[in-house]
Amino acid sequence: MNQPDTPTAGRFEGREHRLPVRVYYEDTDFTGLVYHGSYVRYFERGRSDCLRLMGIGHAELLDGDRPMAFVVSKMGLSFLKPARIDDQLLVRTRYDAIKGPRLLISQAITHGEDVLCRAAVEVVCIHMDGRPRRPTQTLRDRIGPWLAREA
């Protein structure tokens, strides 16, 4: 049976989204370890695909009656162990809370049982003029089932 050639958006386990990624040569630095900036890209993919599986697409947000987008306002990273070329990693994402226009997100990248990197991320929902705005009720309803808490 032929399978369509479509990329995966990962899966949910409980309220945690899990996205498998593989380390490619382009992700590494001259030492053969994953370059620190690559972790930021992996985390972005995790957040975006988590939203996608919640039924929220970035294009849909831009095309709505009141166009909006998300911007990262804070990101704290803890690098614990290195990843290497060809490693199969798992990007783990939890949308923890909505506070006004802000969404608080916890992320980790693991290799097997080892946690390689952690991220505490704050994104802000904005109007297209760059001003913060509260997420629409539809957006809150789609994210709500996966939140730890809502303030």
Side-chain angles (χ1 to χ4, degrees), residues 15-29:
R15 62 178 202 86
E16 181 179 82
H17 179 262
R18 295 181 174 200
L19 178 69
V21 296
R22 180 178 301 279
V23 176
Y24 293 104
Y25 181 78
E26 67 185 12
D27 299 321
T28 62
D29 62 18

Side-chain angles (χ1 to χ4, degrees), residues 11-12 20 42-43 91 102 113 138 143 146:
R11 67 186 188 286
F12 277 102
Y42 299 153
F43 285 134
V91 180
R102 299 176 298 136
E113 297 297 315
T138 300
I143 295 173
W146 286 276

Side-chain angles (χ1 to χ4, degrees), residues 75-146:
M75 179 180 280
L77 300 174
S78 297
F79 298 97
L80 307 170
K81 294 182 179 181
R84 293 172 170 77
I85 193 162
D86 291 331
D87 280 354
Q88 294 181 40
L89 308 177
L90 194 61
V91 180
R92 301 165 73 153
T93 303
R94 287 179 181 250
Y95 276 71
D96 295 320
I98 298 174
K99 293 185 176 186
R102 299 176 298 136
L103 283 77
L104 306 179
I105 305 160
S106 300
Q107 293 185 279
I109 294 175
T110 59
H111 181 242
E113 297 297 315
D114 292 329
V115 177
L116 307 182
C117 188
R118 291 189 189 280
V121 183
E122 178 182 286
V123 298
V124 175
C125 186
I126 62 167
H127 291 274
M128 294 317 298
D129 64 4
R131 291 179 304 153
R133 68 174 285 191
R134 290 183 178 274
T136 63
Q137 188 59 49
T138 300
L139 190 62
R140 293 173 78 85
D141 290 345
R142 289 184 187 170
I143 295 173
W146 286 276

